[in-house]
Amino acid sequence: MRIARNLLISSSALILAGTMAACAQMPAAHNASAGTMTSSYHPNSIQPETTLDISAEATVKQAPDIAYINAGVQAEADTAQQAMADQAKAMNSMFEALAAAGIPEKDMQTSNLSLNPVYDYVEETDGNGRRSGKQVLRGYTASNQLTVKVSDLDNLGETLDSLVAAGGNTFNGLSFALEDPSDAQDEARRDAIKDAMSRAQLYANAAGMRVGRIVSISESGGYAPQPMQMGRMVMSEAMDAKSTPISGGEIGYSAQVSVKFELVK
């Protein structure tokens, strides 16, 4: 009887050990499944209703330090060859005047060169009193335009006058800019972000929430200079004035940003 009893206890122990070993493997399988579920959940994900989109723009105004002149020559002659020769002579004089004003050759660029026929409309009357008209070739017009960068703004008026004195007879515009606009552009970016954040705080407070974090920032638009005060130029008909008066005013560089904020309670 004692031997049988010992065998029964040993068998029960083996069964219990096997059961515990099987149970020990079950939590491991459960943990692996839970780990997969956790990795599929992004801890930074937010609901669309908790976000706020703000678009902001800022402009920084500064006095310009360079100017661009677009001027040139237009010559008319009976033949195309003569028209081209006349404009070439005047353009060479303009190049010499610019060089004398201290403009380096790299800051001069031909922006347009053209040669076109010029017609007159002639009206005729036949023997029956009927009128008719036709185009009659009068000659040719040659045009040459030059874009010049001027760094010495104090002598900009004198430079313009020297172009006219050298034979320039067409003027297509004067614009101002910054030689290096990067600082102005960066300042505009910073101001645009500050404005976006300030408005986000305002909206969040009004809604009884607070700004949690910035989700995304994107730029839009370009950074071309925008005229704040257009340069003023008065071309004196008489050349006895000291120089043509020029006012550069101010120019502005703009930055536009779009910012997405997370709002939390």
Side-chain angles (χ1 to χ4, degrees):
M1 293 295 291
R2 181 176 296 175
I3 295 174
R5 186 177 177 183
N6 290 339
L7 290 173
L8 179 60
I9 293 174
S10 299
S11 299
S12 299
L14 289 172
I15 293 171
L16 180 60
T19 302
M20 292 178 65
C23 290
Q25 295 178 357
M26 292 179 64
H30 175 73
N31 288 340
S33 176
T36 301
M37 293 178 63
T38 301
S39 64
S40 64
Y41 171 75
H42 196 288
N44 292 328
S45 63
I46 57 177
Q47 298 299 321
E49 61 267 25
T50 62
T51 61
L52 172 66
D53 294 320
I54 297 288
S55 295
E57 179 177 357
T59 300
V60 172
K61 297 181 290 183
Q62 290 189 11
D65 55 14
I66 59 173
Y68 290 94
I69 301 171
N70 188 273
V73 174
Q74 182 171 304
E76 183 176 335
D78 294 337
T79 65
Q81 182 178 3
Q82 187 60 47
M84 289 295 290
D86 290 345
Q87 68 81 23
K89 180 180 179 180
M91 283 300 297
N92 286 331
S93 297
M94 289 180 63
F95 280 122
E96 292 174 359
L98 290 171
I103 307 298
E105 187 176 351
K106 66 180 181 62
D107 290 340
M108 311 177 201
Q109 184 179 47
T110 298
S111 56
N112 182 46
L113 177 63
S114 64
L115 175 66
N116 297 293
V118 180
Y119 294 93
D120 288 330
Y121 181 78
V122 179
E123 208 174 68
E124 296 178 339
T125 303
D126 61 15
N128 298 321
R130 290 176 297 188
R131 294 182 178 180
S132 62
K134 63 179 181 178
Q135 298 283 354
V136 178
L137 179 65
R138 186 179 72 197
Y140 293 86
T141 297
S143 178
N144 196 339
Q145 296 296 315
L146 190 66
T147 299
V148 183
K149 184 177 80 171
V150 180
S151 300
D152 184 6
L153 296 186
D154 292 337
N155 294 318
L156 180 58
E158 295 179 5
T159 301
L160 285 167
D161 289 343
S162 67
L163 291 178
V164 176
N169 56 12
T170 61
F171 179 79
N172 294 322
L174 173 66
S175 61
F176 296 92
L178 294 176
E179 181 75 36
D180 183 7
S182 57
D183 288 342
Q185 292 171 349
D186 288 344
E187 185 177 350
R189 292 183 179 107
R190 287 190 291 268
D191 289 348
I193 287 293
K194 289 179 183 177
D195 181 43
M197 295 182 69
S198 176
R199 283 196 281 150
Q201 292 287 356
L202 185 150
Y203 283 118
N205 293 338
M209 305 181 76
R210 61 183 178 85
V211 176
R213 66 189 178 98
I214 294 177
V215 179
S216 64
I217 301 176
S218 62
E219 286 185 303
S220 60
Y223 296 94
Q226 300 177 355
M228 294 295 104
Q229 176 183 337
M230 294 301 293
R232 176 176 54 85
M233 189 181 77
V234 179
M235 295 295 291
S236 57
E237 294 183 2
M239 297 305 294
D240 55 353
K242 182 177 180 182
S243 65
T244 299
I246 301 292
S247 173
E250 288 184 325
I251 57 173
Y253 286 85
S254 296
Q256 302 90 33
V257 296
S258 297
V259 187
K260 182 184 290 292
F261 296 91
E262 177 189 10
L263 302 184
V264 295
K265 287 290 188 180

